[in-house]
Amino acid sequence: MAKARIPGLIAPLALLVALSVTAGCADRAPDASPDRSPAVSAPRPAIHLGEKDSLVPGGPPLPFRVSVEGRLTDAQAAQRVLGLFIGLSPDRLQVREDGAWHDVPLQWTNEQDDNGEFVAVLPLAHHGKARTAFDFRLFTADRERGSGEGRTSTVAAQLARKGWTPSAHAAASAPRLRLPIDPTHLALEVPDVLRATEGGPPVEWKVRVRNAAGKLTRSGLRIAITLGPGAPGQSVRGLPWSVEDKRDQGDKGDQKGKGDKDRWADLTGRTHIETDEFALAPGQSRTVRVRLALPPAAPAYSEVGAVLSAAVTAPWWPSDPEEPSGVSGDPESTNVLVER
């Protein structure tokens, strides 16, 4: 009788073992991909930057590359993303795809306080194929006024599963790129207030831009000057104004050559002008003079005749074509007041 009962106990025991194994498998993370096999090199990120490259706040964009090392199939890439952590305050991050630069959305990883980083999340698959290299360029504006950012920063990269939510900081094992930061910045100086007389001689406004620190020459710069109304409903298109014309004088900074004569380009009827392109070596400055006159019948309802603004722009700075971005930060402006 006992021998007859043993086979009957085997089936329930086998079923119990099978259920236990199934439950154990269900508790595992759904990341049992082929790249976990010891015979296959798991994909991992690596970051590359030229030895002489450094980030200049307000300067040209900094290029760098993130490559994916190890074996990565198209199917695996479709389920993975690249997380890129940026340890400074960027203005724009772009990736090169299909022969052109495209903006990459950036998000702050910790909305509760300042203990976080900016991060970009990009799919590892592009047009159904695994990407093994990403070419990036990073833009950051000149934050000389109370920046607080140090002379170095880092960019970190890590791979994760699709749907991954970035934490406040990259994983400790994530490869990091040290970014040397040249503290070069542009100082823009203008007078606070100009006083003009109705129907009187023009007043002169000097805009001075200086490469105030660092070791790098700043090139491709322009000084943008805008004339705006001083009160709602007021027009400035009838105000006579002009800018010093240095096209035939070369770039002499603040020094005028012997025999140079003042040349002025009339801007009456216009509201915006950008100077010729120039470069500034460390410590060098560039000054542009602007003249503005008030007509005999200035508006009686306001003391303000006009508002002059100046900013520094560069042709490589990505911006709205209708409103160029200023590299120098907030434009400096001044009111032109009427002497009553």
Side-chain angles (χ1 to χ4, degrees):
M1 294 293 292
K3 291 182 179 180
R5 290 194 185 102
I6 292 175
L9 294 174
I10 293 177
L13 288 174
L15 178 61
L16 180 61
V17 171
L19 290 175
S20 300
V21 171
T22 303
C25 293
D27 290 338
R28 294 179 184 175
D31 193 16
S33 55
D35 63 2
R36 286 184 175 272
S37 171
V40 180
S41 176
R44 58 191 181 279
I47 311 179
H48 310 279
L49 179 70
E51 293 180 358
K52 296 183 179 180
D53 291 332
S54 61
L55 182 66
V56 180
L62 177 71
F64 63 95
R65 168 172 284 199
V66 175
S67 61
V68 180
E69 300 176 347
R71 184 176 176 181
L72 181 68
T73 67
D74 294 342
Q76 292 168 346
Q79 299 300 321
R80 285 171 169 77
V81 294
L82 170 71
L84 195 69
F85 292 79
I86 301 175
L88 50 81
S89 298
D91 277 275
R92 204 170 210 174
L93 177 69
Q94 293 184 322
V95 63
R96 190 165 183 82
E97 294 177 344
D98 303 323
W101 290 103
H102 301 276
D103 290 338
V104 179
L106 291 164
Q107 57 180 302
W108 182 248
T109 56
N110 191 348
E111 297 182 357
Q112 302 301 320
D113 53 40
D114 294 336
N115 183 28
E117 281 184 294
F118 287 93
V119 65
V121 179
L122 299 95
L124 277 189
H126 186 61
H127 298 317
K129 299 293 184 181
R131 285 195 279 191
T132 58
F134 296 79
D135 287 315
F136 293 103
R137 62 179 184 179
L138 179 66
F139 294 83
T140 180
D142 190 336
R143 295 182 176 85
E144 182 268 336
R145 298 183 186 89
S147 166
E149 292 179 347
R151 293 177 179 265
T152 61
S153 187
T154 59
V155 171
Q158 69 180 80
L159 301 182
R161 281 284 176 175
K162 192 175 181 180
W164 164 73
T165 300
S167 58
H169 299 285
S173 59
R176 283 171 169 76
L177 172 69
R178 179 176 173 270
L179 296 181
I181 299 178
D182 189 293
T184 298
H185 61 264
L186 300 174
L188 183 63
E189 304 168 11
V190 301
D192 292 334
V193 175
L194 292 176
R195 296 191 177 276
T197 304
E198 296 178 29
V203 293
E204 188 170 302
W205 191 54
K206 291 184 179 180
V207 179
R208 181 171 178 255
V209 178
R210 182 168 56 95
N211 190 349
K215 301 178 181 179
L216 301 183
T217 296
R218 300 291 292 275
S219 60
L221 302 176
R222 295 176 184 268
I223 300 176
I225 301 171
T226 302
L227 177 66
Q234 189 173 332
S235 175
V236 294
R237 291 194 175 273
L239 295 182
W241 71 301
S242 56
V243 65
E244 186 178 18
D245 189 349
K246 289 188 175 184
R247 287 178 295 179
D248 298 328
Q249 300 178 22
D251 184 11
K252 302 182 179 65
D254 288 336
Q255 302 297 321
K256 294 194 67 175
K258 185 176 180 180
D260 286 342
K261 295 182 179 179
D262 291 341
R263 295 170 60 94
W264 297 89
D266 184 27
L267 301 176
T268 304
R270 300 176 62 179
T271 59
H272 182 80
I273 184 67
E274 290 194 7
T275 67
D276 60 305
E277 194 172 305
F278 62 92
L280 289 178
Q284 188 181 24
S285 62
R286 174 77 178 266
T287 298
V288 171
R289 296 187 296 165
V290 180
R291 285 181 175 175
L292 184 144
L294 295 176
Y301 57 81
S302 175
E303 288 185 338
V304 181
V307 175
L308 281 162
S309 300
V312 183
T313 66
W316 41 258
W317 192 259
S319 62
D320 184 341
E322 301 297 328
E323 187 177 350
S325 299
V327 177
S328 62
D330 295 332
E332 297 287 346
S333 63
T334 187
N335 291 336
V336 183
L337 300 183
V338 179
E339 292 279 7
R340 294 292 183 184

